[in-house]
Amino acid sequence: MNEEEFEEEKSELRSRIAYLKDKFFKYSTNGKSTLYIRKVTKEDIEDLEFQEKILYLYNKLQSVCTNDFKLLLIAEKDFYEKVLFENENIITRYVMKYNPNDDVTSRKLGDTWGWRIIFTEFQPAVKKKQTKKFKFEECN
C-alpha cells in the first residue's frame, strides 16, 4: 500500500468513526430507552479488573446518556456466574458457546437458539424499516 492509498484508507476510517460517534450520541439522547450490548469473553473474565472495567463502562454511559438504558452482558454459560452484577441496569444472559472469531456468522457452530432467545427477550418495541440501499441494489 502506498502513501496515497494509506491516506485514503485513513480518511475512510475516520469518516466511519465520526458516523458511529454521531449515531451513538443521537441515540443516547433521543429520549427513548436504549439497550447496550457487550459480549464477554473468557479473556475478559480472566482480567482481574473485569468488574471495575464493566462498572467504569456503565458509569461512562450514565454520564453521557440522557436516555434510560440497560447494559446487557452476554457470556458463555461456563463463566456466566462470574459476570453477574448487583445492579438492575446491568443484565447478564448467556449462550452455550460463541462461534469462533473467524466464523461469527455461522449457524452451524455456535448457540443459535441461545442468541435467538436473548434477542427475543430484548427485541425493540418498534422495528425500524430498512432504508439503506446496498451497492448491488443500485446497479441496474
Side-chain angles (χ1 to χ4, degrees):
M1 175 182 295
N2 65 35
E3 191 172 328
E4 186 177 320
E5 291 172 329
F6 175 76
E7 290 300 322
E8 286 178 22
E9 290 286 326
K10 188 166 75 170
S11 175
E12 171 72 19
L13 186 58
R14 285 186 173 157
S15 171
R16 290 180 188 187
I17 290 170
Y19 167 77
L20 291 172
K21 183 179 172 184
D22 291 343
K23 184 177 178 181
F24 170 80
F25 284 111
K26 174 184 167 187
Y27 283 101
S28 65
T29 59
N30 67 0
K32 296 179 182 175
S33 185
T34 307
L35 179 68
Y36 296 101
I37 302 171
R38 185 174 186 301
K39 178 179 160 184
V40 178
T41 64
K42 182 179 180 183
E43 292 77 22
D44 290 325
I45 298 300
E46 291 170 351
D47 182 346
L48 298 176
E49 297 177 350
F50 168 72
Q51 297 268 335
E52 291 82 13
K53 288 179 180 179
I54 293 297
L55 291 173
Y56 175 81
L57 171 62
Y58 177 78
N59 291 330
K60 196 63 152 171
L61 286 168
Q62 200 169 34
S63 72
V64 174
C65 300
T66 58
N67 295 349
D68 288 334
F69 72 91
K70 305 259 188 232
L71 177 59
L72 173 60
L73 304 175
I74 301 176
E76 287 184 304
K77 186 176 181 181
D78 291 345
F79 50 87
Y80 167 74
E81 291 181 6
K82 295 179 181 176
V83 185
L84 297 173
F85 283 81
E86 292 186 21
N87 181 324
E88 65 184 23
N89 292 316
I90 301 177
I91 304 162
T92 306
R93 296 293 184 268
Y94 68 85
V95 293
M96 296 307 287
K97 68 177 189 169
Y98 295 142
N99 281 6
N101 286 337
D102 62 345
D103 198 11
V104 294
T105 60
S106 173
R107 293 177 181 229
K108 298 176 186 171
L109 303 172
D111 182 8
T112 306
W113 185 249
W115 285 103
R116 186 175 291 142
I117 290 169
I118 291 169
F119 289 123
T120 298
E121 179 182 357
F122 295 100
Q123 64 183 321
V126 177
K127 284 194 175 183
K128 183 178 175 183
K129 288 184 180 179
Q130 185 170 346
T131 57
K132 181 177 181 177
K133 281 202 172 228
F134 295 96
K135 289 180 183 179
F136 64 85
E137 293 176 323
E138 295 173 1
C139 298
N140 288 331

